[in-house]
Amino acid sequence: MSSWWRSVEPAPKDPILGVTEAFLADPSPDKVNVGVGAYRDDNGKPVVLECVREAERRIAGNLKMEYLPMGGSVNMVQETLKLAYGENSEFIKDKRIAAVQSLSGTGACRLFADFQKRFRPDSQIYIPVPTWANHHNIWRDAQVPQRSYHYYLPETRGLDFAALMDDVKNAPDGSFFLLHACAHNPTGVDPTEVQWREISYQFKVKGHFAFFDMAYQGFASGDPERDAKSIRIFLNDGHFIGISQSYAKNMGLYGQRVGCLSVLCEDEKQAVAVKSQLQQLARRMYSNPPLHGALIVSTILGDPDLKKLWLKEVKVMADRIIGMRTALRESLEKRGSTLSWRHITDQIGMFCYSGLTPEQVDRLTNEYHIYMTRNGRISMAGVTTGNVGYLANAIHEVTKSA
Amino acid sequence: MDSRDANSSETTNVPVNPSSDSVFSHVPRAPEIPIYAVMTACSKDPSPLKLNLGMGVYRTEDGKPLLLNVVRRAEEILVNDRTAVKEYLPITGLPEFNKLSSILIFGADSPAIKENRVTTVQCLSGTGSLRIGADFLAKHYHQDVVYIPEPTYSNHPNFFIAAGLTLRKYRYYNPQTQGLDFQCLLEDLGSAPSGATVLFHACAHNPTGVDPTLEQWEEIRRLIRCKGLFPFFDCAYQGFVSGNLEEDAHSVRMFVADGGECIVVQSFSKNMVLYGERVGALSIVCKNADVASRSESQLKLLIRPMYSSPPIHGAAIAVSIMKNREMYDEWTIELKAMRNRLMSTRQQLYEALLQRGTPGDWSHIIKHVGLFTYSGLSEEQVAFMTREYHIYMPANGRMNMAGLSLKTVPHLVDAIHAAVPMSTSK
């Protein structure tokens, strides 16, 4: 008798994780990993924030491992909403936000996609081109049809604002859009404040729904308030938005899977209704979310000193990345590259869309043992003072004939 | 930081879209989940006599939550380990956790493990594993009918429904005997369509506390294999029945020993008291290593769009415990102590009811195993007991024996004794 599963196809390899696997297998002492988007310090080492270590010390062994409520840790959610909506947000005071703890940003997006499917079954989601690859998987598995909108313009290595606005205008009224609140992944290209205001205005005209994926608050500029600007603009303009928030990067809690999904509602009653539905959707996925990461977050954000420490540490991370952008650009210019590399410093957040072609990326890997995804995305977190020269040299070599 | 005036907008004359309602205005409030409603009512009850026999969490003799000493030790180790980083786990979770969980349920000498025919992936406790398992069936299995026992854990249907599968029930519990409805079980499974998936509770059936005997399991196994049905095990209470982890895995191991395939989900919520950390595993036992490997790759495709990768903390604790001989032994001792307390509580309740002369046969209390017993009380009786005696349990009469203690048994007996005359034919 043969297996029930003999027709199961091997799944295609995940492009991003595949890069790391290849990197790990490479014996070259010069190898550089600018693939995966996890922060590294200037020695290329992963970092556990001091505020996190302290929080863990406080909570270790002290608590019973009881189930969280279905919506997760109330404390953690409250603190998290303040970060996105503002410390003194009237929406929080008026209890108008339906919010649940989620399994980091992925979990928040998926919960929202499932919610969208259930309660707006005729809707679709507009997704920027390009975007984090898993966005497509999430809405596909939720069975929400996808459309795309213009975002990145290769010629300028910047925002394709005119085409983006055309897509917004041409979409049917009341369309759902996925927006990256800051530090767009994978391009690092964000709209300016003025552009955000125009987008918000047009969304109002069209009655579109804005869903923000905010995975890098604090990590982009170093200032969480500043990084939430796009969201605040939309809130001021009266939109009823949805937000996915993640602590994976800005608190370095990658493996703890801590995040929050929120949906702004008309009033408290509706927020209660929406929250109850989000909980139901979570119940059939994993019942309730994990405790540990939520405890870390609420311990840090609930203690003024720890919160201050966190803000400092986030700024250190952001500043290092900004510093590496400058260093890489200067390094390339110093080598006499005739190409424009200003996009390296124009772009923001963890990633830089270098503009390198797949063939150039392959050369970087094969000849220089530099690993990145074939779309030319460089994880700036992998760049250090130790390897920036080597990286610049290699990029220059493979592009100088371009 | 500029002050925020909610009414300001730098773009003047923003035409307000005629529908300035939320696009989700029509969303109705979800009905409260019955067990949570019971728990909420209990927590709001000011009576000092109140007794929480509802939700399936373990409580000590003092009615307090328990932190296993071995878990506390594991956490201390983890927090002091400066080399431990918090990076993303692989999509399939902590590899060491998967290996050890697999060994825990299938046995170190399992032929399936030796032959690499098992893929085990970390998921969010039993529920998360159930959902991924259900999604896998929906996507890759040719038969979308799933048989679940009547009754079963209240959340079971939701995973299979969410996956788009079709549910059918098989008879399990006989209210007259308060035991297994074995002949009807065989009948129902015997008439299942070929290839149908059958959900089994590996041990300590929730909510009834009624498990098949080993002989009955063997008959079930033969029927399943004969009819080509697909076994799906939910193992949430390994260790709670006999006090011995190996013994409680017998049903599962039987189905692996015959060389056939199955899906097994494990939860560490109860037996390692790690509820909040959501620690569990999903295993697919396949005919050969190649299929297992391909299946694992497909599981990744289901997991990534749901939550990318599982949480690390609880799995790291479980690994610390399972990989260290001394800690593993301490764990089994603490687990056995929990199980023994449950056994002795059952005994106390049974004897107290006998002594009181409460009408009825209460022997099922000591025959049932695990955390729960299906008391046999009707909805009306339960409501009465809640109202008059502040005893909280779900309407189906399921009692969490872990919520009881020597001190509180008399109060429960009073309540049952008073409720019994209300008996209407169930």
Side-chain angles (χ1 to χ4, degrees), chain B residues 97-128:
Chain B
F97 171 79
N98 295 335
K99 184 156 156 264
L100 292 167
S101 299
S102 198
I103 289 172
L104 183 68
I105 186 69
F106 299 116
D109 51 1
S110 168
I113 294 182
K114 290 209 177 88
E115 292 157 21
N116 284 316
R117 294 194 281 114
V118 187
T119 169
T120 301
V121 303
Q122 180 190 341
C123 293
L124 275 93
S125 200
T127 54

Side-chain angles (χ1 to χ4, degrees), chain A residues 1-12 14 16-17 37-40 46-48 50 52-53 56-57 59-68 70 85 90 103 106-107 110 112 114-116 119-120 132 134 137-138 140-141 173 176 193 197 201 204-207 209 225 229 232 235-237 240 248-249 252-257 263-266 270 272-274 276-277 280-281 283-293 296, chain B residues 1-2 4-6 8-17 20-31 33 35-36 55-59 65-67 71-72 75-76 79 81-82 84-89 91 124 127-128 131 135-137 140-142 153-155 158-159 162 195 225 228-230 261 263 269-270 273-278 284-287 291 294-295 297-298 301-302 304-313 317:
Chain A
M1 221 205 306
S2 56
S3 170
W4 293 122
W5 316 115
R6 65 174 179 278
S7 61
V8 169
E9 293 293 319
D14 184 297
I16 297 172
L17 299 179
Y39 182 77
R40 295 283 181 276
V47 168
V48 177
E50 275 312 312
V52 169
R53 285 203 196 280
E56 288 210 290
R57 267 193 288 273
I59 65 188
N62 282 335
L63 283 143
K64 321 298 181 198
M65 301 285 192
E66 295 281 281
Y67 290 119
L68 278 174
M70 260 191 299
Y85 293 83
E90 68 189 89
L103 290 161
T106 310
R110 176 57 181 271
F112 181 78
D114 277 1
F115 177 72
Q116 179 186 355
F119 291 104
R120 299 296 302 214
W132 178 50
N134 206 21
N137 301 330
I138 289 168
R140 178 204 64 217
D141 275 20
D173 288 4
F176 282 66
E193 191 176 316
R197 289 189 192 284
Y201 173 83
K204 220 51 179 124
V205 167
K206 297 285 299 183
F209 183 93
E225 281 298 295
K229 190 66 185 175
R232 305 291 171 85
L235 290 172
N236 273 352
D237 286 350
F240 295 103
K249 284 79 162 171
L253 296 179
Y254 309 95
Q256 305 292 346
R257 322 306 296 124
V263 177
L264 178 61
C265 303
E266 288 163 10
Q270 191 190 59
V272 167
V274 169
S276 74
Q277 295 291 352
Q280 272 235 334
L281 289 165
R283 179 163 159 79
R284 61 190 209 160
M285 256 197 262
Y286 49 81
S287 258
N288 36 49
L291 177 60
H292 193 69
I296 295 174
Chain B
M1 241 164 288
D2 27 58
R4 227 158 299 283
D5 174 358
S8 82
S9 169
E10 286 178 17
T11 315
T12 55
N13 298 324
V14 174
V16 173
N17 184 287
S20 58
D21 293 338
S22 160
V23 295
F24 296 115
S25 321
H26 60 292
V27 171
R29 185 163 182 175
I33 291 157
I35 187 69
Y36 284 89
M55 199 140 161
V57 289
Y58 184 83
R59 289 282 177 272
L66 175 69
L67 179 66
V71 167
R72 189 195 325 268
E75 273 215 303
E76 292 292 324
V79 83
D81 181 3
R82 276 202 80 98
V85 291
K86 304 286 184 279
E87 299 274 286
Y88 291 117
L89 284 180
I91 299 174
L124 275 93
T127 54
R131 174 59 189 270
D135 277 2
F136 184 82
L137 287 174
H140 298 290
Y141 191 51
H142 63 278
Y153 164 46
S154 60
N155 206 10
N158 296 327
F159 309 114
R225 295 307 188 201
L229 303 176
F230 185 77
E261 298 179 312
I263 282 180
S269 286
K270 287 47 163 205
V273 195
L274 287 174
Y275 311 99
E277 300 302 349
R278 321 307 293 125
I284 309 181
V285 180
C286 309
K287 274 295 159 82
V291 171
R294 281 186 272 131
S295 298
S297 72
Q298 289 292 339
L301 293 190
L302 293 169
R304 183 144 164 82
M306 213 182 270
Y307 51 84
S308 274
S309 56
I312 187 170
H313 191 68
I317 291 174

Side-chain angles (χ1 to χ4, degrees), chain B residues 221-275:
Chain B
R221 185 198 65 77
R222 272 192 262 119
L223 175 65
I224 295 293
R225 295 307 188 201
C226 182
K227 298 251 358 171
L229 303 176
F230 185 77
F232 189 126
F233 282 95
D234 183 354
C235 185
Y237 299 98
Q238 189 180 1
F240 271 100
V241 176
S242 66
N244 179 299
L245 289 159
E246 300 284 308
E247 226 173 282
D248 284 359
H250 260 140
S251 61
V252 170
R253 295 189 189 181
M254 233 183 241
F255 279 74
V256 175
D258 69 10
E261 298 179 312
C262 60
I263 282 180
V264 183
V265 319
Q266 288 167 274
S267 167
F268 289 84
S269 286
K270 287 47 163 205
N271 61 12
M272 254 190 215
V273 195
L274 287 174
Y275 311 99

Side-chain angles (χ1 to χ4, degrees), chain B residues 170-246:
Chain B
Y170 65 92
R171 285 167 291 177
Y172 189 84
Y173 177 73
N174 184 338
Q176 269 70 51
T177 62
Q178 290 174 311
L180 187 64
D181 204 347
F182 191 49
Q183 286 316 309
C184 292
L185 181 157
L186 291 175
E187 219 176 277
D188 288 348
L189 295 186
S191 60
S194 173
T197 299
V198 184
L199 178 71
F200 293 114
H201 296 226
C203 66
H205 182 271
N206 171 9
T208 66
V210 170
D211 281 354
T213 62
L214 282 181
E215 292 74 33
Q216 289 172 327
W217 272 121
E218 172 57 20
E219 251 195 272
I220 293 169
R221 185 198 65 77
R222 272 192 262 119
L223 175 65
I224 295 293
R225 295 307 188 201
C226 182
K227 298 251 358 171
L229 303 176
F230 185 77
F232 189 126
F233 282 95
D234 183 354
C235 185
Y237 299 98
Q238 189 180 1
F240 271 100
V241 176
S242 66
N244 179 299
L245 289 159
E246 300 284 308

